[in-house]
Amino acid sequence: MAAVAALLASAACSSAPYSDDSGAPASAGGRTVRPVDGCGKTSWTDPADLATDRLPARCMPLAPGPQPLAEKRKVTIATGTLSAEYVAPLEVALDKGEFEKEGLDVTLKVLPTPDALPLLAKGDIDAMWAAPEAAVMNGIKGGFDIKWVAGNFSPAAKSKSGLWARLKDGETADRVRLAGRSLGTMIGKGSVIAYPMEKTLEGHGGGLDKIQYRQLGSADVLTALQNGGVDSAWLLDPIWRKVDGKPGYAFLGGQPLGEPLGGMLYGRSLLHDDVDAGVALLRAYIRTVNTYFASDYKQDAGFVAYLAKLLKTDEAVLSSTPSLRMDWEIREGTTTRLQSAYRAQGVATGDPLPESRTVDRMLYEEAVGHVP
């Protein structure tokens, strides 16, 4: 925790927040947006910037500062798991009292997306920490008032989380023919991994409509690849370490660098009924990222030990993979590219939804004081 403590001390002692704004309030989406101490030019990046080496938006540690709601508000966030590393910012925010500082009483509830989606649409829960999967896009088409309001992460350049293949005789990592061969995955069709898979398969004679899907349990995906039950598999952190560097296996590609494919989704309650609470929730999340996950957080052994305990996972396993690049912003066109992949898989039909129906960046922009 030494590095985190140093950041906190540095921020607390700083006499001049690096905000380059004039101080005059501006309006966005009918709400007043004011400059935020500790957040300036680096707290926002152009959504059209898809460069793989793009630096993620950042404020100073402890920024944006809390702005407690007038009345305490209960918020329920559904998440598919509490043990995955990409959920860590929410769990740290809860553990460190960042939500409480905003006047929010937050509950993290474990629910898979299919179960959480109708609850979010009805207002029985307030948010989902998930991804704009095919089920979400189809739900919006069907009338659900749901939008993706903040990103979560993109992988480190050294990560090999993604599509792995079992090589046949004569094949190399550059020459693997996947058409007609099987793929093992935990989610099957309709997951956001369809988009990076589509890009990867194009270079190996395959396509989302040319492979055979086998949906397997999380403990079975690697086993099936190793024993020949499937020809390829989508392996997540840290599972890919089991085959990395071993003869007969090849990493073909993963999630695009610099492009989050999931994060926070809001329903009507935080999009319309209580926008102040919606902004406050993102402000606490963003402050947690800036304070604890701003850079390579796994360089701090004390923080890794703390995370391992919080996530109830093995410390050695957690430290065996590179730090995620936590990123609250949403890239332009991501949901369009996702929908194209869903159509290729046959789990979506009709014209794609425009981004105005699927994404709302204004809440995180308000949280850091940026006016588009």
Side-chain angles (χ1 to χ4, degrees):
M1 297 291 286
V4 173
L7 285 173
L8 292 171
S10 171
C13 296
S14 175
S15 60
Y18 70 102
S19 175
D20 63 331
D21 298 291
S22 65
S27 179
R31 291 176 60 85
T32 299
V33 179
R34 294 181 171 85
V36 172
D37 286 349
C39 297
K41 284 185 176 180
T42 60
S43 67
W44 181 86
T45 66
D46 183 354
D49 184 357
L50 297 177
T52 58
D53 59 352
R54 172 187 61 86
L55 294 176
R58 291 289 184 261
C59 301
M60 288 186 72
L62 300 178
Q67 297 180 33
L69 300 170
E71 296 183 7
K72 196 159 190 175
R73 168 73 149 81
K74 289 188 175 182
V75 173
T76 301
I77 305 171
T79 174
T81 178
L82 289 175
S83 61
E85 189 176 340
Y86 66 84
V87 189
L90 295 189
E91 297 201 65
V92 170
L94 194 60
D95 187 64
K96 298 292 186 181
E98 298 300 340
F99 294 129
E100 188 177 357
K101 293 173 187 175
E102 299 287 350
L104 298 171
D105 180 4
V106 170
T107 298
L108 301 180
K109 187 172 185 177
V110 177
L111 280 174
T113 295
D115 295 337
L117 195 57
L119 298 179
L120 182 63
K122 289 190 297 183
D124 292 341
I125 60 173
D126 302 288
M128 284 170 49
W129 190 248
E133 298 174 351
V136 174
M137 296 294 103
N138 290 334
I140 295 173
K141 280 186 177 181
F144 286 177
D145 193 357
I146 293 171
K147 285 187 177 178
W148 185 18
V149 298
N152 52 7
F153 76 94
S154 61
K158 294 181 180 179
S159 175
K160 294 182 181 178
S161 172
L163 186 60
W164 284 79
R166 188 180 177 93
L167 300 176
K168 294 184 179 294
D169 291 343
E171 290 185 332
T172 65
D174 296 327
R175 299 183 63 183
V176 181
R177 304 297 294 179
L178 293 178
R181 293 164 72 176
S182 57
L183 168 75
T185 171
M186 290 186 295
I187 300 176
K189 294 182 180 181
S191 163
V192 291
I193 66 170
Y195 159 44
M197 278 202 309
E198 184 175 46
K199 295 182 67 174
T200 301
L201 290 169
E202 286 173 356
H204 295 281
L208 294 175
D209 59 342
K210 297 178 181 178
I211 56 175
Q212 301 168 17
Y213 295 88
R214 284 198 61 196
Q215 189 168 353
L216 302 167
S218 58
D220 302 323
V221 174
L222 176 63
T223 302
L225 182 67
Q226 290 175 319
N227 65 21
V230 294
D231 301 301
S232 62
W234 190 270
L235 302 180
L236 302 175
D237 288 335
I239 303 301
W240 57 268
R241 300 284 303 217
K242 300 286 187 179
V243 294
D244 187 30
K246 293 188 176 181
Y249 299 95
F251 173 62
L252 305 184
Q255 178 178 332
L257 300 180
E259 185 176 10
L261 299 181
M264 195 77 80
L265 286 85
Y266 279 179
R268 180 170 188 85
S269 65
L270 297 183
L271 284 174
H272 306 293
D273 299 339
D274 195 349
V275 182
D276 287 345
V279 174
L281 184 63
L282 293 189
R283 188 165 49 239
Y285 160 52
I286 292 169
R287 183 169 59 253
T288 303
V289 170
N290 289 321
T291 305
Y292 299 97
F293 298 92
S295 55
D296 188 357
Y297 51 91
K298 290 186 180 178
Q299 291 298 309
D300 186 336
F303 187 64
V304 172
Y306 163 74
L307 273 188
K309 184 177 180 180
L310 195 63
L311 299 174
K312 296 180 174 59
T313 190
D314 185 85
E315 186 177 337
V317 171
L318 184 63
S319 60
S320 70
T321 55
S323 297
L324 300 178
R325 192 169 80 161
M326 302 303 183
D327 188 353
W328 65 77
E329 294 189 308
I330 300 170
R331 297 296 89 194
E332 186 176 288
T334 297
T335 57
T336 302
R337 291 184 285 275
L338 287 171
Q339 290 177 88
S340 174
Y342 299 152
R343 289 197 304 277
Q345 283 187 322
V347 292
T349 58
D351 295 333
L353 292 163
E355 194 172 80
S356 60
R357 293 274 308 279
T358 61
V359 173
D360 188 344
R361 298 183 181 86
M362 288 193 294
L363 288 89
Y364 71 66
E365 289 171 338
E366 179 178 336
V368 300
H370 175 80
V371 180

